Amino acid sequence: MAKLALPVPVISLLLLFFFSGEISMLVNGQKAWCVAKPAAPQHALQSALDYACNYADCSPTKKGGSCYDPDRPVHHASFAMNAYYQKMGRNQWNCHFNNTSLISLADPSYNPCCQFVSGGSGPPLPQEKEDTWCVPKPGTPDSELQNIINFTCGILKECSEILEHGSCYFPNTLIHHASFAMNLYYKTDGRYNCDFNGVGLIVVTNPSKPICLI
């Protein structure tokens, strides 16, 4: 089984607020980004991409563009959603897209060549740390996603939901399965560590779908 070395997390301002059990004061002045839900259906992601690109510049996601790779619907849609969200004012309703998107408290950029528009201050989102989730950056390579699944499921031994016939098996994509595994680890760890070698995002929107609670 592949091993994923998780570095000891550096205590940051965000984690200090997490230790207190509240992040509401931080979120009020926290930068925010908008990304696609890992479990969103491809047709819904395409619809969100088409809509967002009517208002924002999505040329980096075109073939040959700096954000084309990985050529994955959730990555392209995330870039477009975020570009729209930033341009339209970073209101909560600017990151909805028929309930296929998430507000992230960390920069979702993975590849230095593909930078998501910098997140200015988002709307006040009073949250308890129990109302946060951990998901992978949309541009995380499949190899890293598989390593995360192997590592977390090897430790927790509670990943039956993402096996065939499990409630979270569909969509059968690595990014969805990794999202389930990462969040399970995040919750088990007391919601203190969503680093995963720099590919984890703390989000304040529930990434679950009706039959798969994350």
Side-chain angles (χ1 to χ4, degrees):
M1 177 179 295
K3 298 289 185 179
L4 177 68
L6 295 182
V8 176
V10 176
I11 297 179
S12 63
L13 179 61
L14 179 60
L15 292 184
L16 289 174
F17 274 86
F18 275 1
F19 274 37
S20 72
E22 305 234 357
I23 64 170
S24 58
M25 291 178 62
L26 178 63
V27 174
N28 288 348
Q30 170 74 25
K31 289 184 177 182
W33 291 260
C34 181
V35 296
K37 286 186 176 181
Q42 290 197 15
H43 66 85
L45 292 175
Q46 186 61 54
S47 294
L49 178 68
D50 293 340
Y51 178 82
C53 293
N54 285 326
Y55 300 89
D57 179 16
C58 296
S59 58
T61 64
K62 305 299 183 182
K63 191 167 185 178
S66 59
C67 296
Y68 179 74
D69 292 317
D71 183 13
R72 182 187 298 151
V74 69
H75 180 234
H76 292 175
S78 291
F79 182 90
M81 288 174 172
N82 183 65
Y84 176 91
Y85 174 69
Q86 305 297 336
K87 183 175 181 178
M88 303 304 287
R90 293 181 295 272
N91 301 296
Q92 286 175 266
W93 55 86
N94 299 136
C95 184
H96 187 267
F97 297 97
N98 291 326
N99 200 32
T100 62
S101 55
L102 308 169
I103 292 179
S104 169
L105 301 184
D107 186 351
S109 305
Y110 176 82
N111 186 334
C113 296
C114 173
Q115 293 297 307
F116 280 55
V117 179
S118 180
S121 295
L125 296 171
Q127 300 282 339
E128 301 293 331
K129 72 173 182 177
E130 287 75 16
D131 295 322
T132 61
W133 293 263
C134 179
V135 300
K137 291 182 178 182
T140 306
D142 286 348
S143 59
E144 290 195 44
L145 294 173
Q146 186 62 63
N147 283 341
I148 288 170
I149 295 169
N150 292 345
F151 177 83
T152 53
C153 294
I155 289 178
L156 301 174
K157 303 185 186 306
E158 297 178 10
C159 292
S160 59
E161 290 90 343
I162 59 174
L163 298 179
E164 192 171 5
H165 306 303
S167 60
C168 295
Y169 179 70
F170 292 108
N172 181 19
T173 61
L174 284 174
I175 195 164
H176 172 53
H177 292 177
S179 178
F180 176 89
M182 288 170 70
N183 195 63
L184 183 62
Y185 182 93
Y186 178 61
K187 291 190 296 183
T188 303
D189 191 45
R191 291 182 168 86
Y192 294 130
N193 183 8
C194 178
D195 184 80
F196 293 93
N197 287 341
V199 302
L201 296 176
I202 292 175
V203 298
V204 293
T205 314
N206 192 334
S208 300
K209 61 178 187 172
I211 62 171
C212 171
L213 299 180
I214 294 180

